[in-house]
Amino acid sequence: MKKIWVLAALLLLSLLLLSSCRDKQLDRTYIFGDGVNGAEVTLHEDGSFTFVFSPLSSYLGIGKYTFSGDRLTLETSDGKYRYVFRLTERGIEFDASASSDSLWLGEFSDGSVFEEDIP
């Protein structure tokens, strides 16, 4: 009887680990630059995002994202900021004219390409 409980516990633990690994694989991260000039956008499966504009900035963009055609739109959870990207073969390209002016020390500009980080 004790062996059955141990096997059941191991099976449950394995399922939890596999589920956790699968969720992380569904997140997509896009990177621009590196070091203090770097920025990073992570799209989560649940429709949320995180946007690190610069390692020097204390502001972290969080909220929901949507796709419309070849456009990716990030709307911050406080409703104050919107950042728009165009999907390309190389990654996502920043569209400054359709985005909020606040870049929070980010070194990217109109047309900057954030490339997908593939582990």
Side-chain angles (χ1 to χ4, degrees):
M1 185 68 164
K2 189 175 184 180
K3 286 183 182 180
I4 292 174
W5 283 107
V6 170
L7 288 174
L10 287 173
L11 178 63
L12 180 61
L13 181 59
S14 297
L15 290 173
L16 289 172
L17 287 173
L18 285 174
S19 174
S20 173
C21 291
R22 187 190 69 208
D23 290 345
K24 291 189 184 304
Q25 291 174 349
L26 295 174
D27 291 347
R28 291 183 177 248
T29 299
Y30 297 88
I31 297 174
F32 172 79
D34 59 1
V36 295
N37 297 321
E40 184 175 295
V41 173
T42 301
L43 306 177
H44 305 285
E45 179 187 13
D46 65 358
S48 67
F49 73 87
T50 55
F51 193 167
V52 177
F53 294 84
S54 166
L56 301 175
S57 174
S58 63
Y59 182 79
L60 175 65
I62 57 171
K64 296 290 185 180
Y65 68 87
T66 56
F67 286 105
S68 178
D70 70 343
R71 303 301 250 183
L72 165 66
T73 302
L74 311 178
E75 296 271 352
T76 59
S77 58
D78 60 10
K80 293 181 179 180
Y81 306 103
R82 175 193 348 212
Y83 299 95
V84 179
F85 296 83
R86 187 174 64 84
L87 301 174
T88 70
E89 291 178 7
R90 294 176 44 214
I92 56 174
E93 181 180 303
F94 183 63
D95 181 352
S97 65
S99 299
S100 297
D101 292 332
S102 297
L103 299 183
W104 309 103
L105 302 175
E107 294 289 325
F108 53 93
S109 59
D110 189 50
S112 293
V113 176
F114 287 60
E115 295 180 350
E116 186 171 4
D117 182 29
I118 302 173

